Amino acid sequence: MQLHFSASMRSITISSNNGFIDLMKIKVAACHISYRTLFHTILILAFLLPFAFILTALVTLEGVNKCSSFDCFGRRLGPRLLGRVDDSGRLVRDFYKILNEVNTGEIPADLKLPDSFDQMVSDMKNKQYDSRTFAFILRGTMEKFEKEIRDSKFAELMNKHFVASSIPKGIHCLSLRLTDEYSSNAHARKQLPPPELLPVLSDNSYQHFLLSTDNILAASVVVTSAVQSSQKPEKIVFHVITDKKTYAGMHSWFALNPASPAIVEVKGVHQFDWLTRENVPVLEAVENQNGIRNYYHGNHVSGTNLADTDLRKFASKLQARSPKYISLLNHLRIYIPELYPNLDKVVFLDDDIVVQRDLSPLWEIDLNGKVNGAVETCRGEDKWVMSKHFRNYFNFSHPLISAHLDPDECAWAYGMNVFDLRAWRTTNIRETYHSWLRENLKSNLTMWKLGTLPPALIAFRGHVHPIDPSWHMLGLGYQNKTNIESVKKAAVIHYNGQSKPWLDIGFEHLRPFWRKYVNYSNDFVRNCHILES
């Protein structure tokens, strides 16, 4: 095989070795590059290439050891052409080895840890730490900051618990001023309702609501929101029950601020002849037993190893130790059939709810012979709020609980319930409630911790009729990611949890739904400095 170039360099002929056969003849285009241009090109490349190789070598030594694009091909090729070896991978492996050794070792007792990142950088510069010492400092500093963060979170939970368990100054002021008004103003003491409307209190053609609370401001929001949202407010009767110390103030509020055309009755627990020690012995024990009172009012951190305590479980335990759970007002709902013997159906409302839609259709729901119409809380879009089963409320390591209950059974919500009192009076719900309360007291509260719902879940088993979840939206007091559009659509929104809308710890974006029903122009509200923002 031979190559023959023509004299003009315009063609190349490929022929066999004997020269008799031309295998291929190739024409070459004319060359237009001058020798001067070629010379200048070579001169520029000779000047730039050394810099390019030096730069890529330096970049590689600084740690660029992974590169797959054509752009950084020279970065890896340069050091090799220059005879340099990239040992950054070995350095990283050595440092990993040191970190693993330090992770299992003890931090030296005399090792001084920096208080900030700037101090750590300064110490490294001045003291020239070796890699092992630096690794110990890094580990110790991280553990120190993690402990401080954890301690601050526990402190936050404790402070939040105390705030949630206390009475805000403005609401306490409101109760005192209205109580004083009751003693000095005849209009504040007028009969509720007027004598001519007394028969309505037991008339089953009206829509009867029941509210049990010692919070005057919260009660006003519940009543106002229900009346304003109703299409037939003249058919609404509110039965407000409060304790003895709040009765005068509560009566004054609704006497001076009537919810017309709705009818409001205010009674104190001391005015119910049926509520005697003989009829409620278990609740009397709950309120007065020293061990129980210490549990709810004592030191919530004593004996708790915070280092081994889960934050979420600790928060749940704190919420379960709210003093309201030993209040008779909180247990009154289990005695509704006896307190209102002439009523056939009532809707029970908690004081931390807001009514946003007409609730008249609730009286038309067929409960199919069941006692309690309630929203189930084990299914729904909000997996944080609507994921409650019996396992969330009971201690299934207790033999009585494990023997009688199913951990996967669906829970339901207290706070907005339709009660068929005629069906209720044919059951033993109250007796079941009492018997399980006694057992929990005997077991030193080891069967459940959280207030009135657990014994009610047991007492109402087989007597609950699920109603549509749109009637009752929960979690506005502990779920700060509540969907606002869902809140707007719900008939009743419930601020269950610690972050009540009247507290400073309430979620700011959820407060407007509650605030819109507070009369901030009221003289008593203004004088107690209860402000809208």
Side-chain angles (χ1 to χ4, degrees), residues 110-128:
D110 58 344
L111 187 64
K112 186 177 180 180
L113 299 176
D115 294 324
S116 66
F117 180 77
D118 289 340
Q119 183 182 341
M120 183 172 70
V121 173
S122 177
D123 289 347
M124 288 178 59
K125 180 179 179 181
N126 296 331
K127 298 180 181 180
Q128 298 293 314

Side-chain angles (χ1 to χ4, degrees), residues 161 286 291-292 294-296 313-326 330-331 390-398 401 436-437 440-441 443-455 457-458:
H161 170 72
V286 168
I292 303 301
N294 287 337
Y295 176 82
Y296 285 99
K313 290 182 179 179
F314 185 72
S316 178
K317 288 180 180 179
L318 283 179
Q319 186 176 345
R321 294 176 78 158
S322 173
K324 73 175 185 178
Y325 292 129
I326 59 172
N330 204 41
H331 291 268
F390 275 29
R391 71 169 69 89
N392 299 103
Y393 298 98
F394 297 100
N395 173 22
F396 277 88
S397 64
H398 193 286
I401 295 296
W436 279 91
L437 272 179
N440 197 32
L441 288 172
S443 66
N444 197 26
L445 301 181
T446 57
M447 297 167 68
W448 69 78
K449 301 290 187 185
L450 189 60
T452 57
L453 181 55
L457 289 175
I458 301 176

Side-chain angles (χ1 to χ4, degrees), residues 3 30-31 40 56 62 69 152 157 182 208 231 239 260 311 406 408 425 434-435 482 524:
L3 296 176
C31 182
H40 288 165
T56 54
E62 288 174 356
S69 69
S152 68
L157 289 174
Y182 184 84
H208 293 267
Q231 294 181 2
H239 304 269
S260 302
L311 278 168
D406 178 6
D408 295 321
R425 294 185 184 102
H434 278 183
S435 64
T482 303
F524 290 99

Side-chain angles (χ1 to χ4, degrees), residues 312 377-389 392 478-479:
R312 183 173 175 180
T377 56
C378 64
R379 56 182 67 89
E381 293 181 4
D382 191 335
K383 300 304 180 184
W384 174 257
V385 175
M386 305 297 285
S387 60
K388 302 297 188 294
H389 296 78
N392 299 103
Y478 67 88
Q479 166 66 292

Side-chain angles (χ1 to χ4, degrees), residues 140-151:
T141 302
M142 291 185 68
E143 290 180 355
K144 172 187 173 184
F145 289 158
E146 285 175 356
K147 184 180 183 303
E148 291 177 355
I149 292 172
R150 187 177 178 82
D151 290 346

Side-chain angles (χ1 to χ4, degrees), residues 3 21 30 66 85-86 119 123 138 165 172 190 195 201 251 277 318 341 366 388 394 447 450 490:
L3 296 176
I21 303 173
K66 288 187 178 181
V85 178
D86 178 15
Q119 183 182 341
D123 289 347
L138 187 63
S165 303
H172 182 59
K190 70 180 180 181
L201 298 180
H251 187 105
R277 291 190 178 188
L318 283 179
D366 184 2
K388 302 297 188 294
F394 297 100
M447 297 167 68
L450 189 60

Side-chain angles (χ1 to χ4, degrees), residues 58-76:
L58 289 176
V59 171
T60 304
L61 291 175
E62 288 174 356
V64 182
N65 54 7
K66 288 187 178 181
C67 186
S68 58
S69 69
F70 182 77
D71 176 62
C72 48
F73 175 74
R75 297 187 184 185
R76 300 191 304 183

Side-chain angles (χ1 to χ4, degrees), residues 209-222:
F209 291 91
L210 180 61
L211 173 64
S212 176
T213 180
D214 60 354
N215 188 326
I216 298 172
L217 190 64
S220 72
V221 168
V222 175

